[in-house]
Amino acid sequence: MEAAAALNSPIIIQVSNGGAAFFAGKSVKNDAAHQQASIAGSIAMALHVRALAKLYGVPVVLHSDHCGRALLRWFEGMLAADAEHFEENGEPLFSSHMLDLSEESDEENIATCKKYLQRMAPMKLWLEVEIGITGGEEDGVDNSDAGPDKLYTQPAQIYAMHRALSPVSDRFSIAAAFGNVHGVYSPGNVKLDPGRLARHQGFVRAQIGGNEDKPCYFVFHGGSGSSPEEIRTAIQAGVVKMNVDTDTQWAYWQGVLDFYKENEGYLQGQIGNPEGADRPNKKLYDPRAWLCAAETALAARVRRACEDLGNVNTLALEAA
């Protein structure tokens, strides 16, 4: 939110299943059948952001990430919280949720996504779906051994999802695979082809007719480590959201690491530093000091991502 406010632009804050459980506390039980820690952590995160977002003065989209079939109890818990918040406030608690059923058959994936969108549409909730998979491993979702064919969604798959969901609501986006891989890898190990997205748009447009140049909203998963050219190509093809989790995690750690290196002589004990054997170090080992350094580094990386995506002074452009 700090980065978004500095750029006068909206921002997406999203929570994963594992991240939500961590937010609730690592000692809180989170059995697969009930997902109680992930549900409670997601709700707590959303309420926390809602309480503070108004102070930053920019719109914030609250989103939940990758929910596979084994985690549908988590999804149900968030939808229940959305419905309760909608009943009381006229809007859902979250803005958007993602269903990642890409490991299911296309028929099952599409049918389940349609079923949930029918529940979400009256609350004006956005649904992000995935067809074709993102490679690599992220927060317990491991597609490291996925075959190359799975990493490139076919246009007919995109159209099948669009055809099923469009009559229900226009509030959905598609995470289509174009060689995406979670994490950062050496050059040459990942073969992104964002140009495929433009061809997908053309295929869907030909099927449905009309004058809409980009009938699909696309999502770019595994955006960390991508070149500016790849990002621009994806945006031009209709990408409206990009995930950069790995890069932001590294930026956060880099902030802590740099803080430690700069103050190493002061962080070897509670008392004693280069200024004297009896000098206290509390101001530096106070978690607020090094966490602030981490947050500053994270905000800088988020600003860079927004610049790559063209999300700079967006609110002024909308007002003009």
Side-chain angles (χ1 to χ4, degrees):
M1 291 190 287
E2 177 185 329
L7 295 173
N8 192 36
S9 297
I11 199 73
I12 299 170
I13 295 179
Q14 65 184 35
V15 64
S16 66
N17 180 270
F22 184 86
F23 199 93
K26 294 299 288 182
S27 64
V28 178
K29 188 177 180 181
N30 197 44
D31 64 82
H34 299 95
Q35 293 287 315
Q36 56 269 55
S38 291
I39 293 169
S42 298
I43 294 170
M45 184 281 290
L47 292 172
H48 177 76
V49 172
R50 280 185 170 275
L52 294 177
K54 62 187 75 173
L55 302 178
Y56 289 85
V58 294
V60 177
V61 174
L62 283 166
H63 177 71
S64 65
D65 202 25
H66 291 282
C67 177
R69 182 164 297 282
L71 302 177
L72 284 178
R73 180 66 192 90
W74 171 50
F75 200 89
E76 292 279 353
M78 290 186 291
L79 284 187
D82 285 322
E84 182 179 349
H85 198 272
F86 185 84
E87 183 69 25
E88 296 174 357
N89 302 281
E91 65 179 21
L93 179 62
F94 283 83
S95 316
S96 172
H97 296 292
M98 181 192 181
L99 274 176
D100 180 2
L101 302 175
S102 54
E103 293 185 344
E104 312 289 334
S105 69
D106 284 359
E107 293 75 16
E108 179 122 1
N109 183 353
I110 292 168
T112 305
C113 289
K114 180 177 180 179
K115 179 185 74 172
Y116 276 105
L117 186 59
Q118 288 168 334
R119 288 176 55 184
M120 296 165 69
M123 292 185 281
K124 298 183 178 179
L125 269 165
W126 191 278
L127 177 64
E128 179 182 328
V129 302
E130 182 161 345
I131 191 162
I133 65 173
T134 303
E137 190 275 335
E138 181 76 11
D139 198 37
V141 179
D142 191 350
N143 292 320
S144 302
D145 297 326
D149 58 316
K150 281 281 192 178
L151 297 180
Y152 297 95
T153 308
Q154 300 304 308
Q157 294 176 287
I158 302 290
Y159 172 59
M161 183 69 81
H162 188 276
R163 180 179 59 192
L165 300 188
S166 291
V168 179
S169 170
D170 60 356
R171 291 183 171 87
F172 69 91
S173 51
I174 301 173
F178 50 94
N180 320 56
V181 175
H182 286 131
V184 175
Y185 297 85
S186 299
N189 287 355
V190 176
K191 299 185 184 302
L192 283 180
D193 184 10
R196 284 175 176 260
L197 299 178
R199 298 193 289 275
H200 294 334
Q201 295 281 21
F203 182 86
V204 174
R205 185 171 62 247
Q207 302 304 311
I208 66 176
N211 299 319
E212 193 171 4
D213 186 45
K214 299 172 187 175
C216 298
Y217 296 110
F218 286 130
V219 177
F220 187 163
H221 279 260
S224 292
S226 300
S227 70
E229 294 75 19
E230 289 168 333
I231 294 171
R232 279 195 295 272
T233 299
I235 292 170
Q236 290 166 1
V239 162
V240 296
K241 172 178 175 280
M242 184 177 78
N243 291 14
V244 287
D245 181 62
T246 303
D247 278 356
T248 53
Q249 286 183 11
W250 178 257
Y252 197 89
W253 161 246
Q254 189 75 57
V256 177
L257 180 62
D258 290 346
F259 180 87
Y260 176 76
K261 288 180 177 179
E262 182 180 347
N263 299 287
E264 186 172 359
Y266 297 82
L267 294 170
Q268 302 307 308
Q270 289 181 287
I271 303 293
N273 60 49
E275 297 177 37
D278 61 348
R279 300 299 297 270
N281 299 311
K282 186 178 186 307
K283 288 185 179 179
L284 290 172
Y285 66 75
D286 184 329
R288 289 172 294 184
W290 47 272
L291 284 173
C292 183
E295 290 171 356
T296 299
L298 173 62
R301 183 61 184 86
V302 172
R303 286 197 298 273
R304 195 177 108 203
C306 287
E307 289 162 0
D308 289 343
L309 292 163
N311 186 35
V312 176
N313 207 27
T314 306
L315 297 177
L317 295 174
E318 290 180 351

